[in-house]
């Protein structure tokens, strides 16, 4: 997770904003969305009426001061709950705004059409000022500022950071390959591009609307939990209403304040007050990880993922391969081979090319070749190299070099062919070098497996998530890497439809599948997957199809997203348990207090030995109120997730939040009572 | 004392040992597999199905099951109601007992059809033999079989597959009667008849006592009646004093047999679940939670009953036998205390002592047992009740482990939670609202007019906390479909007959409809295979969770009521 995005939990400015919002949210219309807190609001209003009637001479309801205190504590309970929600919202908004600012900084060469003469002027503007339909140009070395469609020209573009394919791709006007994505880099030529997205319709804007609550819809689990909490509220309404005739029968008058205090303490106000804050905080945490979600549901679903489809390059291995060995053909001098390999890579700007020079450890300029002509890699020849004097050196994939040499009538040496197979089986990529159409050896390129990736897969396995590696490599190479890093399955020589079929097959078994993708041809699979994460530098189609966008273009992000989803559910579950478990202590505080006056024997139930009925009731409602702000940090940060197996997590959480939820209020209420009894 | 405790431990262990093979047999019956009774019952069942033109191969979805269940129950209600209101002139009435008043017949017919058997009458004077056999004993069988058939539908829905086809209700129902209830009843009734329980159609007998007085003693076809009353967890006695009556429960051995009989099917249904689903571990997990709950209720009760009454002790009277008020000397304090909890955790409601005379804490435990109503529970319906708590526990603990909750490979979502929540609320609602209504009238000592002859406090034999417990007990017993009474309450009048009758209807059918609806909805969902992230629902941790959910929902909602009733009584004793 990007630590730079952490703002302090209680930032002054945010606190101020949340404070104001706490009062605004008292509006019953807004409150109605939350049945638990809505009933508390009704209780608060009733207490207000009781206070007023006492001022007008009502004598059966206890002192004015006592009733006013109960009223104020209830009001505070409401404000605390609102504050939690408002703070979560404010943090989310602040986060989204700061992200938006950083995104505005890519320079764009915008074309201003002047007059009818088409004497176009090009000015550099920030990418944020580009509108849909605007034109811009990109030249060699430029980063494409925004998603768009090429309307003129052809260019090689480095999309390795997204697609993982180390070879640059060619994009040209017209046809399928006309779309370019923001963040990718033009390596050659010049293109004219038309912007295809409207500012304000970006995912970031959608996300901000989600956080602000206007368009925030409750997720399925949140709805189910709200139903459960409403049911608990209903049970305690029944308990409190029926208590009135019970008490009448026992000749025990109960004041309205005591009834409302009992009710408010019993209903799950703790989770009720924090519920929406938890949901917003979940999306906010995703945003902090630089992931933009289109809905809260997507985050929640991420926690349920059974199968994770990951591209090999960029996720499991570092985007680029590195040269690791030189294998000269039989009869070729090692030194000579290295020299040729180095010369062929002299002008090669690709990371692979650079790594060859690096491995050779010789400065190619020291060979002093005269009048070199560098042959660039083209999509057609699939090879690159150098021509000087009478020498033509080429390096490239096995197939392309074989074509080249066999065309010239030179057979492909068997020992090199064997080496090529051996390298493939070991997970490497062979790069064959030929001199004057004669094969002189092979360079081994190896994928560099990211450090710590094995541990991450181990962690996923413990979470119960099956990992599947997708790669364009041949099955041999794929299997080697899959075994080495410990993924559960792999798809080799993957075509876009393979991903789609794999997802469908898993889903048919009832599993939830997540995948990351970037290309337009990933779009159907992204849409089919239950959680589709599109790279920010992916195509527009990919971003539309997925339900999340990763701003960092980091393929390992899915692991974090899964954890965020799990945390979200866990936070709700544990706080619900905590809230309900608290009822045990509250019962033991309030029920004796209700009856002690007329049934002194029930002092036996006053196991906390609270000072007086009034102090017991006040202590319980005060505890009930202050537990909300005390739990705000937990609600916003989320309960920490450890992949230790479902039963172990349940045991741990049940112990902390269940047993803790029973014990803590006993201690808390007793301490508050000691304080309150000083004033009563 | 030690033999008394050994006696109750023996009862429990024998029940368990018999229940495991019985559970296996029940699973085979519901699974349509071969059983050793096939040669006897296959032709009989074929005849029934042919005569009633039922195609047993027609599979039903959960709605069709409920339709079948409710419609046949509806018909039997009227049959029973008709016999009870007309038994005075109908045959088999050697003692000349009168027909029942409509409100009493309404209450009686309902309470037998719903497996509660509240009995606001006395068997000796209130019902003819025809009424006993056709009006009541027949319902003993069918109400128990209804519960078991509903449970079979649940089992079928819980299997690992996606389907809406959940077997044939009539098939489950008839087989519950013929293959399970009838054979066991024959065995038990024979044993009881040999032990001295009457089995005759002759009227009252006249005997001369040692003093030389002549006494008329009621008798009748009691042995058959008593057998199914326990096996079907019905609890409605042949005689008014139920199993405390010497002709219904002559000695310790019959007491033991009746005790084992009433618990064996609820036990066996749990193991049947294990065999049927091939999830024995889950069956033991459920049994473990239920047994823990049962022991938490039974142990304090037995201790309080064996320790005797502190009020009597203060008077300087020794109580070597424990608290013996309202108990039979042939059973003793321990066996009576054990029975009082067994009969309240399962929905039998037969009594071998007067619960009204139990110690206050024992009374609280009996009340709690019925308020929870899911530890073992009634024939078949015990598991249905427990299933609702499982769903709620699955939901909360699913969230706690960070995964959308699922149970046996099916996702538990808003709709299922909604139904489970409604069913969980229903029980406290019916008990508390009913008691509130009665307390309201009693508090104001309201004249009740047609509803009750006199003022409302007139229905209480005891004032104060104990009176409150009596009212609370009556509604709790009704809502739990239990049927035992705290007694001491004047309950044969329109007010109690009608209000408890309504509670009975709601508390029987909604808790059957709810779980079956949830199970039906879940069965229709796509099956998700287990992964390492799936919460195991047969683990001990999850079992603790279920226990906690049961405790929180039931015990907590009744805490204030219990505080005003038995707890207040207990604390004022000192």
């Amino acid at each position: 997770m990007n630590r730079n995005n952490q703002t302090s939990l209680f930032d002054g400015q945010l606190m101020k904003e949340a404070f104001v919002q706490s009062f605004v949210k008292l509006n019953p219309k807004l409150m109605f969305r939350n049945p638990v807190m809505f009933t508390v609001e009704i209780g608060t209003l009733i207490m207000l009426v009781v206070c007023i009637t006492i001022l007008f001479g009502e004598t059966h309801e206890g002192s004015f001061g006592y009733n006013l205190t109960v009223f104020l504590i209830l009001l505070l309970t409401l404000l605390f709950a609102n504050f939690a929600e408002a703070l979560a919202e404010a943090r989310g908004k602040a986060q989204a705004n700061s992200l938006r600012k950083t995104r505005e900084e890519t320079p764009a060469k915008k074309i201003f059409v002047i007059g009818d003469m088409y004497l176009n002027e090009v000015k550099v503007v920030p990418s944020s000022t580009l509108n849909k339909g605007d034109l811009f140009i990109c030249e060699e070395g430029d980063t494409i500022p925004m998603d768009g469609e090429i309307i003129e020209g052809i260019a090689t573009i480095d999309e390795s950071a997204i697609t993982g394919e180390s070879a640059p791709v060619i994009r040209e006007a017209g046809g399928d390959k006309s779309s370019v994505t923001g963040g990718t880099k033009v390596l050659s030529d010049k293109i004219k591009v038309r912007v295809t997205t409207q500012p304000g319709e970006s995912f970031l804007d959608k996300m901000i609307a989600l956080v602000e609550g206007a368009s925030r819809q409750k997720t399925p689990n949140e709805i189910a939990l709200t139903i459960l909490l409403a049911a608990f509220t209903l049970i305690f309404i029944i308990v409190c209403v029926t208590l009135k005739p019970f008490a009448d029968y026992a000749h025990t008058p109960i004041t309205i304040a005591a009834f409302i205090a009992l009710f408010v303490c019993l209903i799950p106000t703790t989770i009720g007050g924090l519920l929406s804050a938890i949901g917003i905080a979940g999306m906010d945490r995703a945003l902090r990880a630089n992931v933009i979600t289109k809905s809260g549901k997507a985050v929640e679903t991420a926690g349920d993922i059974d199968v994770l489809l990951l591209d090999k390059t960029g996720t499991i291995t570092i985007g680029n391969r590195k040269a690791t060995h030189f294998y000269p053909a039989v009869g070729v001098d090692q030194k000579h081979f290295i020299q040729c390999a180095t010369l062929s890579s002299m002008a090669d700007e690709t990371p692979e090319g650079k790594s060859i020079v690096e491995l050779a450890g010789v400065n190619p300029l020291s060979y002093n070749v005269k009048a070199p002509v560098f042959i660039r890699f083209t999509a057609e020849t699939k090879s690159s190299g150098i021509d000087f004097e009478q020498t033509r050196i080429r390096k490239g994939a096995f197939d392309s070099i074989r074509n080249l040499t066999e065309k010239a009538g030179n057979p492909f040496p068997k020992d090199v062919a064997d080496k090529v197979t051996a390298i493939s089986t070991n997970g490497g990529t062979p790069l064959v070098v030929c001199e004057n159409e004669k094969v002189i050896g092979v360079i081994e390129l190896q994928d560099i497996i990211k450090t710590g990736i094995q541990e991450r897969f181990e962690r996923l396995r413990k979470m119960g998530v099956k990992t599947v590696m997708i790669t364009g490599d041949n099955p041999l190479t794929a299997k080697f890497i899959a075994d080495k890093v410990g993924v559960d399955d792999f798809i080799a020589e993957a075509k876009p439809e393979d991903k789609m079929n794999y997802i469908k097959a898993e889903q048919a078994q009832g599993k939830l599948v997540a995948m990351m993708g970037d290309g337009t041809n990933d779009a159907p699979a992204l849409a089919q997957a239950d959680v589709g994460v599109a790279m920010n530098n992916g195509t527009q189609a990919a971003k539309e199809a997925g339900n999340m966008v990763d701003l960092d273009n980091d393929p390992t992000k899915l692991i974090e997203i899964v954890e965020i989803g799990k945390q979200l559910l866990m936070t709700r579950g544990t706080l619900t348990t905590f809230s309900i478990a608290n009822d045990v202590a509250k019962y033991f505080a309030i029920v004796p207090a209700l009856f002690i006056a007329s049934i002194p024997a029930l002092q036996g139930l006053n196991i906390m030995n609270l000072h007086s009925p009034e102090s017991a009731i006040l202590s319980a409602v005060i505890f009930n109120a202050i537990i909300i702000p005390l739990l705000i940090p937990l609600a916003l940060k989320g309960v920490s997730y450890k992949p230790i197996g479902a039963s172990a997590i349940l045991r741990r959480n049940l112990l902390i939040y269940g047993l803790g939820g029973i014990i803590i209020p006993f201690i808390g209420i007793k301490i508050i009572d000691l304080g309150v009894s000083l004033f009563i | 004392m030690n033999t008394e405790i050994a006696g109750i431990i023996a009862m429990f262990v024998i029940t368990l040992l018999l229940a495991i093979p019985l559970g296996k047999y029940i699973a085979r019956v519901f699974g349509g597999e071969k059983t050793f009774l096939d040669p006897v019952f296959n032709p009989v069942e074929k005849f029934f199905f042919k005569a009633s033109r039922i195609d047993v191969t027609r599979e039903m979805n959960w709605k069709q099951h409920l339709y079948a269940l409710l419609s046949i129950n509806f018909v039997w209600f009227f049959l029973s109601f008709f016999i009870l209101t007309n038994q005075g002139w109908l045959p088999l009435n050697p003692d000349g007992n009168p027909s029942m008043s409509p409100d009493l017949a309404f209450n009686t017919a309902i309470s037998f059809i719903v497996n509660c058997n509240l009995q606001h009458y006395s068997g000796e004077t209130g019902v003819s033999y025809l009424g006993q056999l056709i009006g009541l004993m027949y319902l003993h069988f069918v109400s128990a079989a209804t519960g078991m058939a509903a449970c079979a539908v649940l089992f079928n829905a819980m299997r690992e597959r996606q389907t809406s086809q959940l077997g044939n209700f009539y098939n489950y129902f008839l087989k519950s009667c013929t293959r399970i209830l009838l054979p066991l009843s024959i065995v038990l009734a024979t044993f009881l008849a040999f032990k001295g329980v009457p089995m005759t159609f002759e009227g009252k007998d006249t005997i001369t006592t040692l003093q030389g007085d002549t006494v008329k003693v009621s008798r009748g076809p009691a042995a058959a009646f008593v057998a199914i009353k326990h096996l079907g967890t019905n609890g409605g006695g042949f005689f008014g004093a139920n199993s405390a009556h010497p002709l219904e429960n002559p000695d310790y051995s019959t007491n033991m047999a009746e005790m084992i009989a009433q618990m064996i099917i609820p036990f066996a249904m749990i193991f049947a679940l294990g065999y049927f689903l091939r999830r024995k571990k889950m069956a033991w997990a459920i049994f473990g939670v239920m047994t823990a709950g049962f022991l938490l209720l039974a142990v304090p009760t037995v201790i309080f009953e064996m320790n005797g009454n502190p009020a009597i002790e203060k008077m300087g009277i020794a109580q070597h036998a424990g608290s013996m008020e309202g108990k039979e000397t042939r059973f003793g304090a321990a066996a009576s205390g054990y029975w009082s909890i067994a009969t309240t955790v399962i929905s039998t409601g037969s009594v071998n002592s007067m619960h009204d005379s139990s110690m206050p804490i024992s009374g609280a435990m009996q009340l709690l047992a019925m308020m929870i109503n899911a530890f073992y529970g009634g024939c078949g319906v015990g598991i249905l009740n427990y299933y609702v708590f499982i769903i709620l526990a699955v939901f909360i603990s699913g969230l706690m482990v960070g995964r959308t909750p699922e149970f046996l490979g099916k996702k538990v979502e808003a709709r299922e939670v909604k139904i489970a929540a409604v069913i969980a609320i229903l029980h406290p609602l019916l008990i508390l609202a009913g008691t509130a209504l009665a307390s309201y009238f009693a508090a104001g000592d309201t004249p009740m007019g047609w509803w009750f002859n006199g003022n409302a406090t007139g229905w209480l034999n005891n004032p104060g906390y104990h009176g409150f417990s009596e009212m609370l007990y009556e509604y709790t017993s009704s809502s739990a479909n239990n049927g035992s009474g705290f007694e001491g309450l004047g309950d044969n009048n329109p007010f109690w007959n009608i209000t408890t009758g309504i509670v009975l209807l709601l508390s029987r059918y909604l808790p059957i409809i709810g779980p079956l609806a949830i199970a039906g909805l879940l069965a229709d969902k796509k099956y998700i295979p287990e992964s390492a992230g799936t919460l195991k629902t047969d683990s001990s941790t999850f079992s603790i969770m279920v226990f906690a959910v049961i405790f929180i929902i039931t015990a907590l909602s009744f805490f204030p009521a219990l505080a005003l009733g038995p707890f207040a009584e207990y604390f004022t004793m000192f």
Side-chain angles (χ1 to χ4, degrees), chain A residues 249 304 306 509 569 580 587 653, chain B residues 399-400 403-404 464 529 556:
Chain A
Y249 171 83
D304 292 342
D306 301 295
Q509 290 175 40
L569 293 185
I580 305 283
Y587 258 124
N653 286 339
Chain B
L399 292 184
M400 282 222 282
R403 204 177 153 91
T404 295
L556 285 192

Side-chain angles (χ1 to χ4, degrees), chain A residues 221 224 228 231 239 242 245-246 249 304 306 463 507 509-510 566 569-570 577 580 587 599 601 646 650-651 653-654, chain B residues 392 395 397 399-404 421 432 436 460 464-465 526-529 533 541 545 552 556-557 559 571-572:
Chain A
N221 278 320
L228 187 70
V239 169
T242 55
F246 295 176
Y249 171 83
D304 292 342
D306 301 295
M463 285 183 200
Q507 284 175 335
Q509 290 175 40
K566 285 194 179 292
L569 293 185
M570 279 170 58
T577 308
I580 305 283
Y587 258 124
I599 312 170
L650 182 62
R651 207 173 309 131
N653 286 339
L654 211 50
Chain B
L392 293 177
F395 181 73
S397 45
L399 292 184
M400 282 222 282
V401 301
R403 204 177 153 91
T404 295
L432 293 176
L460 296 171
Y465 316 130
K526 206 187 303 182
Y527 177 74
I528 309 159
T541 317
M545 186 70 200
I552 297 266
L556 285 192
S557 26
F559 188 76
F571 285 115
T572 40

Side-chain angles (χ1 to χ4, degrees), chain A residues 106-168:
Chain A
T106 317
K109 292 174 181 165
K110 187 179 171 186
I111 301 171
F112 292 88
V113 182
I114 298 167
D116 298 331
M117 303 289 291
Y118 298 102
L119 282 172
N120 296 340
E121 189 187 351
V122 176
K123 274 186 189 166
V124 176
V125 298
S127 60
S128 58
T129 61
L130 290 176
N131 282 315
K132 190 173 177 179
D134 281 351
L135 302 176
F136 61 85
I137 52 168
C138 279
E139 289 165 299
E140 201 172 314
D142 285 350
T143 301
I144 297 173
M146 222 162 170
D147 292 0
E149 195 184 1
I150 303 177
I151 53 167
E152 206 180 297
I154 175 167
T156 44
I157 295 172
D158 176 15
E159 293 187 344
S160 65
I162 332 162
T163 57
E165 288 160 36
S166 22

